[in-house]
Amino acid sequence: MSTGAVAAPDGRPRCPWGLSTEDYLAYHDTEWGRPVHGDDALFERLCLEAFQSGLSWLTILRRRETFRTAFAGFRIAEVAKFTDADRERLLADPGIIRNRAKVDATLANAKVLADWPAGELDELIWSYAPDPAGRPAPRGLDDVPAVTPESTALAKELKRRSIRFVGPTTAYALMQACGLVDDHLADCVARGGATVG
C-alpha cells in the first residue's frame, strides 16, 4: 500500500519522510526539490549524494557543515588543488564520512571538473531534466522511483567524462534534491516549490 502525504504538526500535509526529524522537516520544506544551479553548488550535492550512498541521508545532513568546512565549501577550484596531506586530513576527520573510495572520488572529480569551462557541469546536469508534463505527481511513496532512464543516462555520461562514484540511483537522488524532478507527493504542501513557512 502506497503511503501518501501525512499531516504535520502544523496540520499541513507533507511527504512522510520529511516528518521523521526536525532536520528532515527543515530540509524537506526549504531545500529538497528546489532548483539548484551553479557548478560549485551542484558539485557539493554530487559529492554529498555519493557520500550518502549506503547510509541515511540524515547522517549526511547532520554533518553537512563539517563536510563544507573539510572540503573548502566544495569550491571546485580549491578542492582540485588538495594535496596528499589534505587527503590524509580528510581520512582522519571524524566529522565527515571517512570512506577512502568516496574521499578519493571527490578529490578526483574536482580535478576533472576544474578543467571544464565555467557552467558546463550545471548545463550537463540540467540537460537531463525530464519534461515535467510527462511526469504525473506521485500520489504515494510507491510512485517515486529510485532510478529513471534520465538518471541512468546522466550517470553514464558523467562516468564517460571520468566522474566517479555516481551510479543511476545516486544520479536520481541528485535530480530529486536539486529540483530536476519534483517528487514531492501530489498533496504535499511543498509540491511545485511552494513556500512553506
Side-chain angles (χ1 to χ4, degrees), residues 103-121:
V103 168
D104 287 348
T106 299
L107 300 183
N109 291 345
K111 289 182 188 337
V112 169
L113 293 170
D115 289 335
W116 290 19
E120 187 167 345
L121 178 62

Side-chain angles (χ1 to χ4, degrees), residues 150-165:
E150 294 88 359
S151 75
T152 301
L154 173 57
K156 183 177 180 180
E157 180 60 17
L158 288 168
K159 182 177 181 180
R160 187 186 74 76
R161 293 182 179 222
S162 302
I163 301 299
R164 296 164 42 185
F165 226 101

Side-chain angles (χ1 to χ4, degrees), residues 24 43 58 85 98-99 109 123 136 147 151 163 167 180 194:
Y24 269 157
F43 175 62
L58 189 59
R98 295 176 290 177
N99 178 296
N109 291 345
E123 183 178 330
V147 174
S151 75
I163 301 299
L180 280 76

